[in-house]
Amino acid sequence: GSRVSNGQHCSGSDDLAAEDLARETCNAVLKTCEESRQWEQGLLLLGRMRECCPADEHSFAAVIGACSAARKWEHALATLTQMQQEGFLPKAAAYNAALWSLSDTAAPWKKAIDILQHMRNM
């Protein structure tokens, strides 16, 4: 069955609706984190989402965007990797955000080439 915030397993359409509402609420907060460059709060919320609902591709993309906006390329790339490990296929916007995070002069340019090659193989 689906998960609820108290950790009990349950089933039914009401529980799925509650899970969807929780995810939509979290994603709205994550989008706000992205727009305000609050990457640390975004990463924290992404980790805590497991308590109430599974993250989706929008959740990961917003956190990658927040990390990118703050030029935290290590965290952007780690979140992109986590997204892929959890079975989500990143869309162009997530890849673009990860690439943008690498525009910092201290970022390794080889990482950008790796991302571009991965995009090419999609």
PDB file of all heavy atoms in Angstrom, residues 3-25:
ATOM      1  N   ARG A   3       2.303   4.927   1.578  1.00  0.00           N
ATOM      2  CA  ARG A   3       2.820   5.331   2.871  1.00  0.00           C
ATOM      3  C   ARG A   3       2.138   6.607   3.341  1.00  0.00           C
ATOM      4  O   ARG A   3       1.755   7.447   2.545  1.00  0.00           O
ATOM      5  CB  ARG A   3       4.326   5.584   2.791  1.00  0.00           C
ATOM      6  CG  ARG A   3       5.095   4.327   2.512  1.00  0.00           C
ATOM      7  CD  ARG A   3       6.554   4.584   2.518  1.00  0.00           C
ATOM      8  NE  ARG A   3       6.879   5.614   1.537  1.00  0.00           N
ATOM      9  CZ  ARG A   3       8.083   6.126   1.385  1.00  0.00           C
ATOM     10  NH1 ARG A   3       9.063   5.739   2.131  1.00  0.00           N
ATOM     11  NH2 ARG A   3       8.308   7.043   0.484  1.00  0.00           N
ATOM     12  N   VAL A   4       2.030   6.749   4.647  1.00  0.00           N
ATOM     13  CA  VAL A   4       1.544   7.981   5.250  1.00  0.00           C
ATOM     14  C   VAL A   4       2.587   8.467   6.219  1.00  0.00           C
ATOM     15  O   VAL A   4       3.520   7.763   6.573  1.00  0.00           O
ATOM     16  CB  VAL A   4       0.174   7.794   5.969  1.00  0.00           C
ATOM     17  CG1 VAL A   4      -0.917   7.493   4.958  1.00  0.00           C
ATOM     18  CG2 VAL A   4       0.243   6.706   7.009  1.00  0.00           C
ATOM     19  N   SER A   5       2.432   9.693   6.703  1.00  0.00           N
ATOM     20  CA  SER A   5       3.482  10.322   7.497  1.00  0.00           C
ATOM     21  C   SER A   5       3.790   9.604   8.798  1.00  0.00           C
ATOM     22  O   SER A   5       4.877   9.725   9.327  1.00  0.00           O
ATOM     23  CB  SER A   5       3.113  11.777   7.784  1.00  0.00           C
ATOM     24  OG  SER A   5       1.908  11.827   8.511  1.00  0.00           O
ATOM     25  N   ASN A   6       2.887   8.831   9.364  1.00  0.00           N
ATOM     26  CA  ASN A   6       3.191   8.154  10.621  1.00  0.00           C
ATOM     27  C   ASN A   6       3.892   6.816  10.391  1.00  0.00           C
ATOM     28  O   ASN A   6       4.143   6.099  11.346  1.00  0.00           O
ATOM     29  CB  ASN A   6       1.925   7.968  11.459  1.00  0.00           C
ATOM     30  CG  ASN A   6       0.907   7.064  10.805  1.00  0.00           C
ATOM     31  OD1 ASN A   6       1.172   6.478   9.754  1.00  0.00           O
ATOM     32  ND2 ASN A   6      -0.250   6.960  11.419  1.00  0.00           N
ATOM     33  N   GLY A   7       4.190   6.481   9.138  1.00  0.00           N
ATOM     34  CA  GLY A   7       4.943   5.288   8.826  1.00  0.00           C
ATOM     35  C   GLY A   7       4.107   4.040   8.676  1.00  0.00           C
ATOM     36  O   GLY A   7       4.611   2.983   8.342  1.00  0.00           O
ATOM     37  N   GLN A   8       2.804   4.100   8.928  1.00  0.00           N
ATOM     38  CA  GLN A   8       1.954   2.938   8.774  1.00  0.00           C
ATOM     39  C   GLN A   8       1.614   2.746   7.297  1.00  0.00           C
ATOM     40  O   GLN A   8       1.477   3.707   6.557  1.00  0.00           O
ATOM     41  CB  GLN A   8       0.658   3.108   9.563  1.00  0.00           C
ATOM     42  CG  GLN A   8       0.876   3.190  11.048  1.00  0.00           C
ATOM     43  CD  GLN A   8      -0.441   3.441  11.776  1.00  0.00           C
ATOM     44  OE1 GLN A   8      -1.437   3.807  11.174  1.00  0.00           O
ATOM     45  NE2 GLN A   8      -0.412   3.250  13.074  1.00  0.00           N
ATOM     46  N   HIS A   9       1.472   1.481   6.908  1.00  0.00           N
ATOM     47  CA  HIS A   9       1.081   1.195   5.530  1.00  0.00           C
ATOM     48  C   HIS A   9      -0.436   1.162   5.440  1.00  0.00           C
ATOM     49  O   HIS A   9      -1.116   0.707   6.346  1.00  0.00           O
ATOM     50  CB  HIS A   9       1.673  -0.144   5.072  1.00  0.00           C
ATOM     51  CG  HIS A   9       3.147  -0.078   4.919  1.00  0.00           C
ATOM     52  ND1 HIS A   9       3.755   0.454   3.808  1.00  0.00           N
ATOM     53  CD2 HIS A   9       4.148  -0.433   5.742  1.00  0.00           C
ATOM     54  CE1 HIS A   9       5.055   0.405   3.955  1.00  0.00           C
ATOM     55  NE2 HIS A   9       5.323  -0.144   5.122  1.00  0.00           N
ATOM     56  N   CYS A  10      -0.950   1.666   4.366  1.00  0.00           N
ATOM     57  CA  CYS A  10      -2.387   1.701   4.185  1.00  0.00           C
ATOM     58  C   CYS A  10      -2.681   1.606   2.698  1.00  0.00           C
ATOM     59  O   CYS A  10      -1.795   1.624   1.875  1.00  0.00           O
ATOM     60  CB  CYS A  10      -2.971   2.966   4.782  1.00  0.00           C
ATOM     61  SG  CYS A  10      -2.178   4.450   4.186  1.00  0.00           S
ATOM     62  N   SER A  11      -3.931   1.502   2.375  1.00  0.00           N
ATOM     63  CA  SER A  11      -4.305   1.440   0.970  1.00  0.00           C
ATOM     64  C   SER A  11      -5.618   2.169   0.789  1.00  0.00           C
ATOM     65  O   SER A  11      -6.287   2.530   1.748  1.00  0.00           O
ATOM     66  CB  SER A  11      -4.417  -0.009   0.510  1.00  0.00           C
ATOM     67  OG  SER A  11      -5.407  -0.665   1.277  1.00  0.00           O
ATOM     68  N   GLY A  12      -5.998   2.369  -0.449  1.00  0.00           N
ATOM     69  CA  GLY A  12      -7.255   3.026  -0.736  1.00  0.00           C
ATOM     70  C   GLY A  12      -7.043   4.341  -1.433  1.00  0.00           C
ATOM     71  O   GLY A  12      -5.969   4.937  -1.390  1.00  0.00           O
ATOM     72  N   SER A  13      -8.100   4.796  -2.097  1.00  0.00           N
ATOM     73  CA  SER A  13      -7.998   6.021  -2.882  1.00  0.00           C
ATOM     74  C   SER A  13      -7.788   7.259  -2.023  1.00  0.00           C
ATOM     75  O   SER A  13      -7.113   8.190  -2.442  1.00  0.00           O
ATOM     76  CB  SER A  13      -9.229   6.187  -3.765  1.00  0.00           C
ATOM     77  OG  SER A  13     -10.389   6.302  -2.965  1.00  0.00           O
ATOM     78  N   ASP A  14      -8.342   7.288  -0.807  1.00  0.00           N
ATOM     79  CA  ASP A  14      -8.124   8.442   0.073  1.00  0.00           C
ATOM     80  C   ASP A  14      -6.648   8.571   0.440  1.00  0.00           C
ATOM     81  O   ASP A  14      -6.114   9.681   0.492  1.00  0.00           O
ATOM     82  CB  ASP A  14      -8.959   8.328   1.354  1.00  0.00           C
ATOM     83  CG  ASP A  14     -10.437   8.550   1.107  1.00  0.00           C
ATOM     84  OD1 ASP A  14     -10.787   9.100   0.034  1.00  0.00           O
ATOM     85  OD2 ASP A  14     -11.236   8.170   1.978  1.00  0.00           O
ATOM     86  N   ASP A  15      -5.996   7.437   0.676  1.00  0.00           N
ATOM     87  CA  ASP A  15      -4.584   7.463   1.036  1.00  0.00           C
ATOM     88  C   ASP A  15      -3.724   7.903  -0.148  1.00  0.00           C
ATOM     89  O   ASP A  15      -2.761   8.655   0.022  1.00  0.00           O
ATOM     90  CB  ASP A  15      -4.136   6.085   1.522  1.00  0.00           C
ATOM     91  CG  ASP A  15      -4.895   5.652   2.771  1.00  0.00           C
ATOM     92  OD1 ASP A  15      -5.196   6.521   3.606  1.00  0.00           O
ATOM     93  OD2 ASP A  15      -5.188   4.459   2.881  1.00  0.00           O
ATOM     94  N   LEU A  16      -4.086   7.448  -1.338  1.00  0.00           N
ATOM     95  CA  LEU A  16      -3.347   7.878  -2.528  1.00  0.00           C
ATOM     96  C   LEU A  16      -3.546   9.363  -2.775  1.00  0.00           C
ATOM     97  O   LEU A  16      -2.607  10.069  -3.151  1.00  0.00           O
ATOM     98  CB  LEU A  16      -3.785   7.066  -3.752  1.00  0.00           C
ATOM     99  CG  LEU A  16      -3.383   5.597  -3.754  1.00  0.00           C
ATOM    100  CD1 LEU A  16      -3.977   4.883  -4.960  1.00  0.00           C
ATOM    101  CD2 LEU A  16      -1.885   5.445  -3.720  1.00  0.00           C
ATOM    102  N   ALA A  17      -4.761   9.854  -2.552  1.00  0.00           N
ATOM    103  CA  ALA A  17      -5.026  11.282  -2.728  1.00  0.00           C
ATOM    104  C   ALA A  17      -4.221  12.091  -1.715  1.00  0.00           C
ATOM    105  O   ALA A  17      -3.676  13.150  -2.054  1.00  0.00           O
ATOM    106  CB  ALA A  17      -6.518  11.569  -2.585  1.00  0.00           C
ATOM    107  N   ALA A  18      -4.125  11.598  -0.487  1.00  0.00           N
ATOM    108  CA  ALA A  18      -3.348  12.296   0.544  1.00  0.00           C
ATOM    109  C   ALA A  18      -1.868  12.307   0.177  1.00  0.00           C
ATOM    110  O   ALA A  18      -1.184  13.315   0.358  1.00  0.00           O
ATOM    111  CB  ALA A  18      -3.564  11.632   1.907  1.00  0.00           C
ATOM    112  N   GLU A  19      -1.374  11.193  -0.354  1.00  0.00           N
ATOM    113  CA  GLU A  19       0.027  11.120  -0.779  1.00  0.00           C
ATOM    114  C   GLU A  19       0.294  12.090  -1.930  1.00  0.00           C
ATOM    115  O   GLU A  19       1.307  12.787  -1.941  1.00  0.00           O
ATOM    116  CB  GLU A  19       0.362   9.688  -1.192  1.00  0.00           C
ATOM    117  CG  GLU A  19       1.830   9.473  -1.477  1.00  0.00           C
ATOM    118  CD  GLU A  19       2.128   8.024  -1.784  1.00  0.00           C
ATOM    119  OE1 GLU A  19       2.319   7.249  -0.835  1.00  0.00           O
ATOM    120  OE2 GLU A  19       2.157   7.679  -2.981  1.00  0.00           O
ATOM    121  N   ASP A  20      -0.632  12.142  -2.884  1.00  0.00           N
ATOM    122  CA  ASP A  20      -0.486  13.069  -4.008  1.00  0.00           C
ATOM    123  C   ASP A  20      -0.497  14.516  -3.522  1.00  0.00           C
ATOM    124  O   ASP A  20       0.298  15.336  -3.994  1.00  0.00           O
ATOM    125  CB  ASP A  20      -1.602  12.863  -5.032  1.00  0.00           C
ATOM    126  CG  ASP A  20      -1.443  11.579  -5.829  1.00  0.00           C
ATOM    127  OD1 ASP A  20      -0.343  10.992  -5.823  1.00  0.00           O
ATOM    128  OD2 ASP A  20      -2.437  11.166  -6.448  1.00  0.00           O
ATOM    129  N   LEU A  21      -1.386  14.828  -2.589  1.00  0.00           N
ATOM    130  CA  LEU A  21      -1.453  16.185  -2.050  1.00  0.00           C
ATOM    131  C   LEU A  21      -0.160  16.535  -1.309  1.00  0.00           C
ATOM    132  O   LEU A  21       0.367  17.639  -1.469  1.00  0.00           O
ATOM    133  CB  LEU A  21      -2.658  16.338  -1.121  1.00  0.00           C
ATOM    134  CG  LEU A  21      -2.842  17.712  -0.476  1.00  0.00           C
ATOM    135  CD1 LEU A  21      -3.013  18.790  -1.552  1.00  0.00           C
ATOM    136  CD2 LEU A  21      -4.037  17.694   0.471  1.00  0.00           C
ATOM    137  N   ALA A  22       0.367  15.597  -0.537  1.00  0.00           N
ATOM    138  CA  ALA A  22       1.625  15.827   0.176  1.00  0.00           C
ATOM    139  C   ALA A  22       2.759  16.087  -0.811  1.00  0.00           C
ATOM    140  O   ALA A  22       3.567  16.998  -0.633  1.00  0.00           O
ATOM    141  CB  ALA A  22       1.947  14.636   1.079  1.00  0.00           C
ATOM    142  N   ARG A  23       2.817  15.290  -1.877  1.00  0.00           N
ATOM    143  CA  ARG A  23       3.875  15.470  -2.882  1.00  0.00           C
ATOM    144  C   ARG A  23       3.728  16.820  -3.585  1.00  0.00           C
ATOM    145  O   ARG A  23       4.709  17.534  -3.785  1.00  0.00           O
ATOM    146  CB  ARG A  23       3.851  14.326  -3.901  1.00  0.00           C
ATOM    147  CG  ARG A  23       4.981  14.416  -4.928  1.00  0.00           C
ATOM    148  CD  ARG A  23       5.035  13.270  -5.924  1.00  0.00           C
ATOM    149  NE  ARG A  23       3.835  12.492  -6.077  1.00  0.00           N
ATOM    150  CZ  ARG A  23       3.572  11.347  -5.411  1.00  0.00           C
ATOM    151  NH1 ARG A  23       4.441  10.858  -4.559  1.00  0.00           N
ATOM    152  NH2 ARG A  23       2.433  10.703  -5.623  1.00  0.00           N
ATOM    153  N   GLU A  24       2.499  17.179  -3.960  1.00  0.00           N
ATOM    154  CA  GLU A  24       2.276  18.474  -4.614  1.00  0.00           C
ATOM    155  C   GLU A  24       2.672  19.631  -3.700  1.00  0.00           C
ATOM    156  O   GLU A  24       3.260  20.618  -4.161  1.00  0.00           O
ATOM    157  CB  GLU A  24       0.814  18.610  -5.029  1.00  0.00           C
ATOM    158  CG  GLU A  24       0.429  17.739  -6.203  1.00  0.00           C
ATOM    159  CD  GLU A  24      -1.051  17.833  -6.548  1.00  0.00           C
ATOM    160  OE1 GLU A  24      -1.679  18.849  -6.217  1.00  0.00           O
ATOM    161  OE2 GLU A  24      -1.567  16.888  -7.158  1.00  0.00           O
ATOM    162  N   THR A  25       2.375  19.505  -2.417  1.00  0.00           N
ATOM    163  CA  THR A  25       2.743  20.553  -1.453  1.00  0.00           C
ATOM    164  C   THR A  25       4.259  20.645  -1.326  1.00  0.00           C
ATOM    165  O   THR A  25       4.826  21.738  -1.372  1.00  0.00           O
ATOM    166  CB  THR A  25       2.098  20.265  -0.088  1.00  0.00           C
ATOM    167  OG1 THR A  25       0.677  20.205  -0.257  1.00  0.00           O
ATOM    168  CG2 THR A  25       2.454  21.339   0.920  1.00  0.00           C
TER     169      THR A  25
END
